[in-house]
Each structure stands twice: as C-alpha cells, then as structure tokens.
C-alpha cells in the first residue's frame, strides 16, 4: 500500500488504467503460485496438521470417556462398600440378638433348675418333718395307752380288785378306741 | 507533504485506490513471467507460514488440556469438520482435507491482506476464479463419477409438475453454470471493494478538514473488513460443501 500521494506523478504514470485484477499478463504468475501454495498447504494439512489435531481430539475424547468410566467404577465400589458395611452391621445386630437370647435361655434354665432343686429339697424336708411328727404322735398314743393301762391297773389294785391284767387291758383298749 | 503535493497537483485529490492490487516482481523490474516471484508469491508464502504456525506449530505439544494456540487449531479443525459433516453428510468427510485447505488458505490470505501495506492475494479474480472453477470442475466430475447419468437428476426437479420441469431444468442448468462465477467473484469482489474503500478513506485523510472523519471511517471500515475477511472464507467454504453435497446426493 504505497501512500496515494507519494510520488504522485510517477504513480500516475505506472498505475494501469482500470483494475489491476483484469491485467491478463499477471494471470499465469498468480495461477502458478496459487497452485504451489494450495499444494503445499494441502500436504501440510493432510500429512501433519489434520492427523495430529484429529489424534489430539480423539485422545481427549478417550481420556474423558476413561475418566468417566473410572469414576463410575469408583462409585460402584463405594456403593458396594456401603452395602457390605450395612450387611456387616445387620449381621452384628442379629448375632448380638442371638447371643442375648441364648444367654437369657441359659439363665432361665439354670433358674428353673435351681427352683426345682429347691422345691425338691423343700418337699423332702416336709416329708421328713411329717414323718417325725407322725412318729411323735404314734409314740404319744402308745405312751397314753401304757399310762392308761398302768393307771387302770393301779386303780383296780387300789380299789381291791383282782389284778386281772387281761380284763384291764381289754377295758382300756375299748375305752381308747371308743 | 500532502498539501505541497496538492498544490503541485493543482488542488485535485489524487487517489490510486487500485494501486495496492498491482502485481509487482519482488526483485527488480521487468515483465512478470509465470515463474517470477512477485508480491503475490510473497503473500501466498506468508499464508502458508500462517497455516503452519496456526495448525502445526501450535499443536506440537499435543496437550490434552490445550493452550491458546492449540485451542485455535482445534477450533478451526472442529469448525470446518462440523461444517463438512453437517452439510455434506458422513460420506463427505473424506473430502475434509481439501475443504480445510481451501478454508485455511482463504482465511489466512484474507487476514494477511488486512495488514497495512500488504498485498491481498484473494482480491484477485485470477486467484479466486481458480479456486471457484477448481471446486466447480472437481465437484462436477465427482458427481458424474459417483452417480453417472443420475447426476443429471439435479437439473430435473421431479417434485415439480411435469409441464414445468423443462423450464426448471433450464433455470437449474443456468444457475449451475453461474455457480463458479458467483463463487469466485463474491470473494474477490468483497476483498477488493473493502480494500479500495479503505484506500479512498485514507486518501481523504490528506485533507485536514475531514481527516478526523476519514480516519474514523478507516477504523470503522477496518473493523467491518475483519468481519468480512472471516465471513467470506466461511461463505466460500460452506458453498463448496453445498456443491459437494449436490455432487454426492443429487437426487432431491
């Protein structure tokens, strides 16, 4: 871009009338160099630039896809871990309940056994006591009979009766039984 | 300086807004042969350098988390890739390197052309015509190779009433052959017009009275041209995709 007024006379002399674009003399030159330029650009693009940029874009897409897949995997792992934790928690709770129930049953059993044993002892003691009471009662009855017989015999003797032991005994027995 | 020259010119403003488009040999004077390195050669070479810097050097680290340069490269790749995929479908993907080549060349050449003092290669009809007719010829050959005579179904609108079809066929045929012309002139015209307008505003900046307005105008037009530089590259690319889609799937 020469300044329009620079060396105006010379410029006026050299500038062709009309449009320089229509100067056919210059066409072969421009066409030739255009062809060279286009071929060079085409080879630069198709051999170097486009495969490289395409590769970069594909690589990036791949990286993003891989990262997303890895994130999904990690998410799945986290979910699995949470599930495992919940399961362990539930298991522990069941186990605790089971142990508690077992202990309760054991204690209940021991308690029942102790109660039964105590009951048996009490029953034995009661029976023994009853037996002793019966013995004492029997002993007392026998003593009463003997005392009655002796007393009756003594009374008969004192009253001047004949010491008829047989009759006295019979009389006492009837009296006691009656 | 400007005012002195004004006086010399007899108070006539002299604009040469088209001088920026003149193709000159880089070394010395003389005729421009087909092989002569010219300013067009230089700025096309710089476009190659820009493409390499944008897409190759910036991605050399192959970072998973991209840096600034790599983001731009990936964005450009994704932008064109998605365009090709959306417009032409899955089977158009194998032509992606060609379309990417077109897009990267046009976008780099357009933006390099906006550097003050630079030469805008895409403002030349010779350049854009090669691009446009190149696309046209490739797509037409591809259409016949892929679909045979079925490709002509593109011109035979089977959904229209039978009586209208021959008329529509003529219209379709004309529009088909106008495609490369509009395709190339659209790009060259936009680039040339914008740069010429910039130059005209710059010329008005010589006059002290309107210089602030002219400079404001240059700034505003420059902003617009930045937009146009990208949009024209985008339009060229998406139209290429549309033509490619017509070649791959003519029946509709």
């Amino acid at each position: 871009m020469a300044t329009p007024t620079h060396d105006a006379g010379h410029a006026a002399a050299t500038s062709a009338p009309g449009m320089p674009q229509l100067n056919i003399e210059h066409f072969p030159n421009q066409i030739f160099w255009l062809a060279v330029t286009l071929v060079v650009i085409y080879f630069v693009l198709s051999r170097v630039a486009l495969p490289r940029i395409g590769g970069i874009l594909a690589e990036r897409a791949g990286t993003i896809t891989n990262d997303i897949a890895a994130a999904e995997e990690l998410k799945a792992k986290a979910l699995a871990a949470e599930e495992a934790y919940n399961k362990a928690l539930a298991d522990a709770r069941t186990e605790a309940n089971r142990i508690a129930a077992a202990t309760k049953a054991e204690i209940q059993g021991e308690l029942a056994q102790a109660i039964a044993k105590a009951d048996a002892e009490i029953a034995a003691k009661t029976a023994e006591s009853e037996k002793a009471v019966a013995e004492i009662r029997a002993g007392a009855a026998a003593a009463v009979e003997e005392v009655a017989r002796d007393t009756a015999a003594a009374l008969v003797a004192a009253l001047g009766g004949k010491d008829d032991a047989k009759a006295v005994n019979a009389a006492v027995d009837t009296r006691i039984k009656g | 300086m400007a005012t002195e020259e004004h006086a010399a010119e007899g108070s006539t403003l002299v604009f040469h807004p088209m001088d920026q488009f003149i193709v000159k040999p880089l070394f010395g004077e003389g005729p421009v042969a087909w092989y002569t390195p010219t300013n067009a050669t230089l700025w096309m070479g710089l476009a190659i350098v820009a493409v390499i810097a944008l897409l190759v050097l910036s991605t050399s680290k192959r970072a998973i988390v991209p840096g600034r340069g790599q983001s731009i490269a990936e964005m450009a790749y994704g932008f064109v890739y998605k365009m090709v995929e959306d417009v032409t479908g899955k089977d158009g993907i194998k032509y992606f390197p060609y379309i990417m080549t077109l897009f990267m060349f046009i976008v780099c050449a357009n933006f390099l052309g906006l550097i003050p003092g630079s030469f805008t290669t895409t403002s030349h009809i010779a350049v854009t015509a090669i691009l446009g007719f190149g696309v046209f010829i490739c797509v037409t050959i591809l259409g016949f190779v892929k679909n045979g005579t079925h490709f002509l179904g593109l011109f035979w609108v089977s959904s229209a009433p039978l009586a209208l079809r021959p008329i529509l066929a003529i219209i379709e045929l004309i529009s088909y052959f106008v495609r490369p012309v509009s395709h190339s002139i659209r790009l060259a015209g936009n680039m040339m017009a914008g740069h010429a307008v910039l130059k005209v505003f710059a010329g008005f900046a010589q006059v002290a009275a309107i210089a602030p307005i002219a400079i404001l105008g240059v700034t505003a037009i420059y902003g617009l041209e930045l937009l146009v530089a990208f949009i024209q590259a985008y339009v060229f690319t998406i139209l290429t995709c549309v033509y490619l889609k017509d070649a791959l799937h003519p029946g509709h």
Side-chain angles (χ1 to χ4, degrees):
Chain A
M1 273 198 224
T3 47
T5 52
H6 172 70
D7 204 357
H10 183 246
T14 52
S15 65
M19 288 162 57
Q21 278 91 338
L22 299 181
N23 188 345
I24 292 186
E25 282 170 34
H26 295 156
F27 277 19
N29 180 275
Q30 287 178 302
I31 291 167
F32 169 68
W33 289 112
L34 174 69
V36 171
T37 306
L38 289 180
V39 167
V40 171
I41 292 178
Y42 174 72
F43 276 101
V44 167
L45 289 186
S46 62
R47 294 290 150 87
V48 186
L50 299 185
R52 187 189 284 176
I53 297 171
I56 291 168
L57 293 178
E59 200 181 324
R60 180 173 309 144
T63 308
I64 289 169
T65 315
N66 284 347
D67 284 359
I68 287 172
E72 292 277 343
E73 203 175 311
L74 287 175
K75 198 179 164 193
K77 270 187 191 164
L79 276 179
E82 199 192 340
E83 231 161 77
Y85 166 76
N86 280 339
K87 192 167 173 289
L89 198 66
D91 282 356
R93 198 166 281 155
T94 342
E95 181 70 9
N97 283 341
R98 198 186 59 73
I99 289 170
T103 313
K104 206 174 168 186
E106 203 177 319
I107 289 168
Q108 205 83 44
E110 272 171 20
L111 198 63
Q113 213 174 341
I115 287 171
K117 199 175 159 197
D119 281 351
E121 268 170 26
I122 289 164
K125 282 258 171 72
T126 312
E128 211 172 303
S129 306
E130 271 172 4
K131 200 175 151 198
V133 167
E135 259 171 34
I136 289 165
R137 191 173 278 159
V144 164
E145 202 180 321
E146 204 171 330
V147 167
R149 221 170 264 157
D150 285 354
T151 311
L155 276 174
V156 167
L159 290 172
K162 270 197 261 165
D163 192 4
D164 188 357
K166 221 174 182 177
V168 170
N169 281 350
V172 170
D173 284 347
T174 45
R175 280 310 265 223
I176 286 169
K177 276 170 194 170
Chain B
M1 177 178 136
T3 42
E4 282 165 33
E5 301 225 0
H6 261 230
E9 292 281 330
S11 79
T12 323
L13 278 174
V14 180
F15 298 136
H16 297 291
M18 305 308 275
D19 279 8
Q20 58 176 319
F21 301 120
I22 294 174
V23 177
K24 286 176 281 218
L26 274 182
F27 311 106
E29 296 286 316
V32 176
W34 63 269
Y35 52 84
T36 315
T38 57
N39 46 359
T41 316
L42 171 68
W43 289 97
M44 284 180 189
L46 288 174
I48 297 175
V49 172
V51 169
I52 291 173
L54 269 178
L55 297 186
V56 178
L57 299 184
S58 64
T59 56
S60 55
K61 279 196 284 181
R62 297 163 188 266
I64 287 297
V65 179
R68 242 181 277 171
Q70 195 181 316
S71 290
I72 294 172
E74 285 173 11
M75 220 182 282
Y77 182 98
F79 178 70
V80 180
Y81 192 91
K82 195 166 183 315
M83 197 196 302
V84 175
E85 195 177 30
D86 287 352
V87 177
T88 62
K90 286 275 176 208
D91 47 351
I93 291 296
K94 62 181 168 205
Y95 307 103
F96 166 62
Y98 301 100
I99 290 169
M100 187 72 177
T101 303
L102 281 178
F103 177 76
M104 287 315 293
F105 170 69
I106 295 171
V107 87
C108 287
N110 285 357
F111 276 110
L112 285 172
L114 281 172
I115 297 171
S118 71
F119 175 82
T120 319
T121 49
T122 42
S123 68
H124 274 262
I125 193 73
V127 169
T128 58
I130 293 300
L131 295 174
F133 277 92
V135 167
F136 175 76
I137 292 166
C138 290
V139 155
T140 307
I141 291 171
L142 191 71
F144 278 111
V145 168
K146 287 266 171 189
N147 306 292
T149 50
H150 183 62
F151 181 59
L152 294 172
L154 188 63
F155 307 110
W156 197 251
V157 189
S158 50
S159 57
L162 193 60
L164 279 176
R165 283 184 207 171
I167 304 164
L168 284 175
I170 292 166
I171 295 172
E172 289 284 334
L173 207 61
I174 292 169
S175 85
Y176 188 80
F177 283 99
V178 167
R179 274 177 181 186
V181 179
S182 67
H183 203 189
S184 50
I185 289 178
R186 181 183 301 112
L187 176 58
N190 269 290
M191 297 323 292
M192 187 192 72
H195 286 74
V197 168
L198 276 176
K199 214 48 181 284
V200 169
F201 270 96
F204 277 120
Q206 299 166 72
V207 183
I210 53 169
I213 298 167
I215 290 167
L216 202 70
V218 169
T219 314
I221 299 286
Y222 194 87
L224 183 70
E225 282 307 298
L226 282 174
L227 197 65
V228 168
F230 177 76
I231 287 175
Q232 285 308 314
Y234 171 68
V235 166
F236 194 97
T237 316
I238 203 159
L239 282 174
T240 306
C241 291
V242 170
Y243 299 161
L244 185 63
K245 186 207 73 182
D246 280 349
L248 296 176
H249 316 282
H252 61 88

